[in-house]
C-alpha cells in the first residue's frame, strides 16, 4: 500500500488504536488535515485554543490510561501547546503531540510560523522527534507511543515538516507491530532482595504509614495497594496525585498529606518510624521542610523511575520497578511470613492517630449564612454518589475538591498537580466526558481559573460533552489571596477581580445552561437539577464566602507537625503543635 | 569532588543539546565536555567533567540515564582510569625566552608544531592537571592563546564502555 506522509500519519494513528485526536488546523498541517478529512476511523475534536487541545487530551489520558493525542500547527500552534505538554510532563501523563513544522528547506530561515519546537519542548517532554523522511513516519509514531506509555509515562512530541506530508509523494506503508529502542529499557520487576528487606522492615515497624502517589494510579495498582494495606492494617495517606488509588471511605485512610493535607496524615508522617512510599516522589508540597521531614522514620521507596529515588529525601530501601508487580510480590511475602505486625504496637499507633483525627481538621462553619465552598463539594459528592469524574483547575477550589470529595476509585480525580496549571479543568473535563460518555463529569473551578480556557465551552457544545461546571466564585484568586493574608499582612496585591463576566449569560451565549446560586439552601437543588440534565452542559456560578481559607496549611518552609489549623468558635485548634 | 562521566549515546542531532539542556535546567555544573562519533557511526562518545556532592553526582547519572538517547554511561572517577586532554598553546617568543620555553615543553613532553620568528605553537597532552601545571609555569605575558579539548578518558583493565 502506497500512501502519502499525511495519510501514513493518520493511518498509523488508526493502527495504534487512537480514538480521538485533539487539534487545531493551520498552514503546516494542512496536508494532514486533508488526510483526516478523508477517513473516519480517527475522530478529530476541534478545540478553540491549542492549550485546550493538550488539556483535553490529558484529561482523556488520565481517565483512561491511554495516551492522549494532539495535533497542532507550527509556530504559535506549537507554542500554545507547550503549557499543556509541561502539565502532562510534571504529572507523568502519556501523551503524543504531533506538531507541524515549516518545510525542511526553510527550517532555520525564520520562516512564517517557524519555531524550533524540538528545542522549545525539550525540557518538558519525555522525548521528542523531528521527522526528516516520509519513510520514517510510521516507525516514529510507533516509537512515540511506545516511549509515552511505558516506564514512567510522559508526553512525546513529533515535529513534522510540511514537505514530509506532501500528498504527491507516496511511499509504501506498514505499521510496525513492535519497536525496539536499544537505549530505552524501562525497569519492570523490582530487586528481589530489596523487596524481601522491605517486607522485613514492614513487619517489624511500630508506627508505619503507607504514603502512596500518582504512580499507583498510572501503574493500575490500586487493587494491589488496597490488598497490601489491608493485609497489614497500616494507615494509608495519598498524595494529591494519588487520590482514589486507595478508597477514601475506608477506615485505614487518613486523608491526603502535604501542604493542605489532614492533620492526622501529616502528624502520622512526622511521628512514623516507617514510611512506605509507593509511586510517590517526595514533592516539596508533600515534604515541607526537608531537614525536618519524617525525623524518626526509615523509608522504603517503590518507584519506576530510578531518578525519583533519593532525589530530595534519602531513602533506606529503594526498589526500582513497576508498582504493581512489586506490591504483588510483597503481598506474597507477607502472606508467607511467619512474622506478623505487632498487634500491640499497632493498637497504640492507631489510638494515637484516632486522637489526631478527633481534632476534626476539616470542620468548617456549617451555620454560615454564606455559601461555604467546602459545603458545595460535600453536596457535589452526595449528589453524584461519589461516582463522578471530577476535574479541577488550580487554587483553593482544587484543594477543597481534593479534601472533601472522597474518591474511592482511581482515575476519578483529574487535576494538574505538578505544574499547577490554571485553565486545565474545563478542557480536561471535555476529554474525560469523551472517554466516559455515560459518567457524570464535574469541573470544579473558580472564577479566575475558568477564564483561562473558557473558550472551550464552545468545544463542549460542538461535541455534545455535557459536563457540569461548579464555579466557586469568590471574586478572588483565592489561593493568592490566602497567601497574601498569611504572609503579606493582607495586602491583596492584584488578586481581586474587579470585573468578572456574568457567567450565566456567558454560558447561555455559548449555548449552555447557566445558573447562579448565592444561598446555601439553593446549592443542593441546583446541583440535583444540573446533574439531571443529562444532555446539557451546565455552568453553576456559585457565590461563595470570600474570606474562606484552606486549612490545614503547612506554610512554606515549615515541617509536617507545624500546621496552621482553622480557628473555631471555641478557639481550640489554632496552630496546635504536638505535645 | 571531580567526576569524569563517560557517555555512550545515539549519534543523532539534538542528542548533545539534550545533555547540555539537562545540566542547565537542573543547575548542574559542567567543567568540560567533549564529544565525537565512535568506531560505530551510530554512536557518539561524550566525556563530561563535573563537580558535585555524591548525592548530586548520583542524580546526574540517573538523569542522564533517563535521556532516551543515552545508551550507557560510567563515572570514570569511580575506578582506575586514564585521563587525557589535548592542549594547543600559542606563545610569544623572544631571544631571551625561546630556549627556556623549548626546554619546558620537553620537560612536559610537549611538542612544538609551528614556529615563526616571534611565536611557538606547542602541543601537549596529559591529564588536565598536568596541562594546568604547564600553563602556570609559563610567563602569562607570553601567552597569546590557549585551546583545550576538555578531558576525555578510558577505564583501565578489561572492562569497557560498549554496546
Amino acid at each position: 500500500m502506497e500512501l502519502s506522509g499525511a495519510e501514513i500519519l493518520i493511518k498509523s494513528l488508526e493502527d495504534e488504536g487512537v480514538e480521538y485526536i485533539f487539534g487545531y488546523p493551520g498552514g503546516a498541517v494542512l496536508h494532514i488535515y486533508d488526510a483526516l478529512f478523508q477517513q473516519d476511523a480517527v475522530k478529530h475534536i476541534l478545540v478553540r485554543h491549542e492549550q485546550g487541545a493538550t488539556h483535553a487530551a490529558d484529561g482523556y489520558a488520565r481517565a483512561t490510561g491511554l495516551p492522549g493525542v494532539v495535533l497542532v500547527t507550527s509556530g504559535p500552534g506549537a507554542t500554545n501547546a507547550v503549557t499543556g505538554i509541561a502539565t502532562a510532563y510534571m504529572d507523568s501523563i502519556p501523551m503524543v503531540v504531533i506538531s507541524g513544522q515549516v518545510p525542511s528547506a526553510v527550517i532555520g530561515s525564520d520562516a512564517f510560523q517557524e519555531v524550533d519546537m524540538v528545542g522549545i519542548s525539550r525540557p518538558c517532554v519525555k522525548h521528542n522527534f523531528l521527522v526528516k523522511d516520509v519513510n520514517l513516519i510510521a516507525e516514529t509514531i510507533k516509537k512515540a507511543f511506545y516511549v509515552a506509555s511505558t516506564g514512567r509515562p510522559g508526553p512525546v512530541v513529533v515535529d513534522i515538516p510540511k514537505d514530509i506530508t506532501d500528498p504527491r509523494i507516496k511511499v509504501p506503508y506498514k505499521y510496525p507491530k513492535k519497536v525496539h529502542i536499544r537505549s530505552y529499557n524501562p525497569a519492570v520487576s523490582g530487586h528481589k532482595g530489596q523487596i524481601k528487606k522491605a517486607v522485613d522492615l514492614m513487619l517489624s515497624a511500630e508506627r508505619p504509614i503507607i504514603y502512596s502517589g500518582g504512580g499507583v494510579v498510572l501503574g493500575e495498582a490500586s487493587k494491589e495497594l488496597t490488598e497490601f494495606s489491608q493485609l497489614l492494617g497500616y494507615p494509608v495517606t495519598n498524595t494529591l496525585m494519588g487520590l482514589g488509588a486507595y478508597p477514601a471511605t475506608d477506615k485505614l485512610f487518613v486523608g491526603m498529606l502535604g501542604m493542605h493535607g489532614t492533620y492526622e496524615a501529616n502528624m502520622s508522617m512526622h511521628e512514623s518510624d516507617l514510611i512506605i512510599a509507593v509511586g510517590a516522589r517526595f514533592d516539596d508540597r508533600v515534604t515541607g521542610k526537608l531537614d525536618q521531614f519524617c525525623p524518626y522514620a526509615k523509608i522504603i521507596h517503590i518507584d519506576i523511575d530510578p531518578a525519583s529515588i533519593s532525589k530530595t529525601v534519602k531513602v533506606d530501601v529503594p526498589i526500582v520497578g513497576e508498582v504493581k508487580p512489586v506490591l504483588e510480590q510483597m503481598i506474597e511475602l507477607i502472606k508467607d511470613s511467619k512474622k506478623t505486625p505487632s498487634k500491640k504496637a499497632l493498637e497504640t499507633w492507631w489510638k494515637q492517630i484516632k486522637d489526631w483525627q478527633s481534632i476534626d481538621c476539616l470542620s468548617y462553619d456549617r451555620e454560615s449564612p454564606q455559601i461555604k465552598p467546602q459545603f458545595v463539594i460535600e453536596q457535589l459528592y452526595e449528589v453524584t454518589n461519589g461516582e463522578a469524574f471530577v476535574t479541577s483547575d488550580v487554587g483553593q477550589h482544587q484543594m477543597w475538591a481534593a479534601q472533601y470529595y472522597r474518591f474511592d476509585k482511581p482515575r476519578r480525580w483529574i487535576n494538574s498537580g505538578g505544574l499547577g496549571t490554571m485553565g486545565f479543568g474545563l478542557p480536561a473535563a471535555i476529554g474525560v466526558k469523551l472517554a466516559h460518555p455515560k459518567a457524570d463529569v464535574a469541573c470544579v473551578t473558580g472564577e479566575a481559573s475558568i477564564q483561562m480556557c473558557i473558550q472551550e465551552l464552545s468545544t463542549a457544545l460542538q461535541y455534545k460533552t455535557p459536563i457540569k461546571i461548579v464555579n466557586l466564585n469568590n471574586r478572588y484568586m483565592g489561593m493568592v489571596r490566602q497567601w497574601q493574608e498569611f504572609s503579606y499582612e493582607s495586602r491583596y496585591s492584584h488578586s481581586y477581580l474587579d470585573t468578572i463576566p456574568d457567567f450565566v449569560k456567558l454560558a447561555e451565549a455559548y449555548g449552555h445552561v447557566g445558573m447562579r446560586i448565592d444561598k446555601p439552601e439553593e446549592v443542593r437543588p441546583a446541583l440535583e437539577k444540573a446533574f439531571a440534565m443529562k444532555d446539557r452542559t451546565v455552568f453553576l456560578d456559585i457565590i461563595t464566602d470570600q474570606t474562606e481559607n484552606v486549612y490545614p496549611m503547612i506554610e512554606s518552609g515549615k515541617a509536617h507537625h507545624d500546621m496552621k489549623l482553622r480557628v473555631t468558635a471555641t478557639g481550640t485548634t489554632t496552630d496546635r503543635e504536638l505535645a | 569532588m571531580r567526576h569524569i562521566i563517560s557517555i555512550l549515546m545515539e549519534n543523532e542531532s539534538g542528542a548533545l543539546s539534550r545533555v547540555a539542556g539537562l545540566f542547565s535546567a537542573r543547575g548542574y555544573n559542567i567543567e568540560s565536555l567533549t564529544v565525537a562519533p565512535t568506531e560505530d557511526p551510530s554512536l557518539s562518545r561524550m566525556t563530561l567533567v563535573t563537580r558535585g556532592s555524591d548525592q548530586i553526582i548520583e542524580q546526574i547519572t540517573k538523569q542522564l540515564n533517563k535521556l532516551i538517547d543515552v545508551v550507557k554511561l560510567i563515572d570514570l572517577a569511580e575506578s582506575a582510569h586514564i585521563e587525557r586532554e589535548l592542549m594547543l598553546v600559542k606563545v610569544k617568543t623572544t631571544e631571551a625566552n625561546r630556549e627556556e620555553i623549548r626546554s619546558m615543553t620537553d620537560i612536559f613532553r610537549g611538542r612544538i608544531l609551528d614556529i615563526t620568528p616571534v611565536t611557538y605553537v606547542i602541543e601537549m597532552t596529559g591529564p588536565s592537571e598536568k596541562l594546568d601545571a604547564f600553563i602556570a609555569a609559563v610567563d602569562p605575558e607570553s601567552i597569546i592563546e590557549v585551546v583545550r579539548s576538555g578531558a576525555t578518558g578510558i577505564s583501565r583493565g578489561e572492562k569497557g564502555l560498549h554496546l
Side-chain angles (χ1 to χ4, degrees), chain A residues 46-286:
Chain A
L46 175 68
V47 293
R48 300 302 185 263
H49 185 293
E50 289 87 350
Q51 184 184 346
T54 49
H55 293 330
D58 186 324
Y60 177 89
R62 290 181 203 235
T64 60
L66 302 165
V69 186
V70 176
L71 173 59
V72 294
T73 193
S74 65
T79 56
N80 280 345
V82 170
T83 299
I85 296 170
T87 303
Y89 182 66
M90 287 293 270
D91 291 342
S92 308
I93 304 304
M95 183 185 283
V96 173
V97 178
I98 296 149
S99 55
Q101 183 53 276
V102 298
S104 309
V106 297
I107 287 181
S109 70
D110 302 321
F112 177 64
Q113 293 194 329
E114 178 182 1
V115 75
D116 173 14
M117 184 54 175
V118 170
I120 282 183
S121 64
R122 191 174 294 126
C124 58
V125 293
K126 185 170 172 189
H127 196 54
N128 57 21
F129 299 92
L130 173 66
V131 185
K132 291 175 179 163
D133 180 346
V134 59
N135 293 295
L136 294 176
I137 293 178
E139 187 193 331
T140 308
I141 293 296
K142 184 77 200 174
K143 278 185 181 170
F145 277 90
Y146 170 57
V147 171
S149 55
T150 52
R152 180 177 179 176
V156 174
V157 165
V158 182
D159 201 32
I160 310 181
K162 190 171 183 181
D163 53 304
I164 305 298
T165 57
D166 191 330
R168 292 166 303 180
I169 301 164
K170 306 226 176 202
V171 299
Y173 168 74
K174 191 166 174 275
Y175 194 64
K177 279 205 179 66
K178 263 178 84 175
V179 72
H180 170 69
I181 302 175
R182 64 180 173 185
S183 55
Y184 175 69
N185 301 293
V188 182
S189 54
H191 188 276
K192 281 212 173 91
Q194 290 289 90
I195 293 174
K196 172 86 180 46
K197 207 168 143 193
V199 168
D200 286 345
L201 263 181
M202 285 172 202
L203 294 176
S204 51
E206 297 194 338
R207 300 185 307 282
I209 182 162
I210 297 161
Y211 146 53
S212 77
V216 179
V217 179
L218 295 164
E220 306 285 357
S222 208
K223 195 177 127 268
E224 289 73 14
L225 175 73
T226 308
E227 188 186 348
F228 168 77
S229 308
Q230 292 177 353
L231 195 58
L232 291 166
Y234 293 173
V236 184
T237 179
N238 280 166
T239 67
L240 179 67
M241 293 309 298
L243 293 175
Y246 189 87
T249 51
D250 187 81
K251 62 181 192 327
L252 297 182
F253 189 64
V254 295
M256 180 171 78
L257 83 166
M259 186 172 269
H260 294 296
T262 63
Y263 185 72
E264 49 272 31
N266 287 333
M267 290 306 297
S268 303
M269 289 292 284
H270 189 77
E271 291 297 315
S272 169
D273 70 344
L274 182 70
I275 309 287
I276 306 162
V278 189
R281 64 182 177 92
F282 299 85
D283 176 82
D284 56 282
R285 286 302 197 259
V286 159

Side-chain angles (χ1 to χ4, degrees), chain B:
Chain B
M1 201 188 130
R2 182 169 178 269
H3 290 257
I4 306 169
I5 298 171
S6 201
I7 308 164
L8 203 58
M9 58 200 285
E10 297 292 345
N11 183 15
E12 280 183 21
S13 67
L16 173 63
S17 48
R18 283 181 214 281
V19 173
L22 171 71
F23 273 70
S24 64
R26 294 191 181 265
Y28 305 141
N29 120 321
I30 301 185
E31 225 158 73
S32 74
L33 187 159
T34 145
V35 59
T38 64
E39 82 288 359
D40 173 352
S42 72
L43 288 171
S44 279
R45 176 84 173 235
M46 178 185 281
T47 312
L48 203 148
V49 179
T50 183
R51 277 176 198 278
S53 63
D54 287 352
Q55 196 230 344
I56 288 179
I57 299 298
E58 185 184 329
Q59 263 300 305
I60 290 176
T61 55
K62 283 173 168 178
Q63 293 291 349
L64 283 169
N65 264 318
K66 240 174 108 169
L67 294 176
I68 308 288
D69 285 339
V70 169
V71 183
K72 269 182 185 175
L73 63 85
I74 48 165
D75 182 353
L76 287 175
E78 276 180 353
S79 56
H81 65 279
I82 298 158
E83 176 193 336
R84 286 293 179 272
E85 182 175 1
L86 167 69
M87 175 169 75
L88 300 172
V89 191
K90 190 178 280 181
V91 293
K92 275 186 261 185
T93 54
T94 59
E95 282 294 325
N97 75 0
R98 202 164 285 147
E99 194 48 43
E100 185 199 340
I101 291 176
R102 245 177 65 187
S103 71
M104 226 161 50
T105 303
D106 282 345
I107 293 168
F108 279 85
R109 297 184 195 280
R111 291 196 303 156
I112 294 170
L113 301 181
D114 185 49
I115 298 174
T116 73
V118 288
T119 60
Y120 279 163
V121 170
I122 302 158
E123 173 202 59
M124 195 169 289
T125 59
S128 303
E129 51 190 26
K130 174 184 142 182
L131 308 186
D132 295 341
F134 180 76
I135 294 293
V138 178
D139 171 18
E141 291 293 309
S142 67
I143 295 177
I144 299 173
E145 61 178 312
V146 175
V147 186
R148 297 175 66 153
S149 65
T152 182
I154 199 162
S155 60
R156 285 185 186 273
E158 287 166 21
K159 277 200 225 155
L161 185 65
H162 52 80
L163 272 186

Side-chain angles (χ1 to χ4, degrees), chain A residues 1-4 7-8 11-12 14-15 170-175:
Chain A
M1 184 168 38
E2 296 235 317
L3 297 174
S4 74
E7 288 164 341
I8 287 175
K11 195 80 180 62
S12 299
E14 182 190 338
D15 288 346
K170 306 226 176 202
V171 299
Y173 168 74
K174 191 166 174 275
Y175 194 64

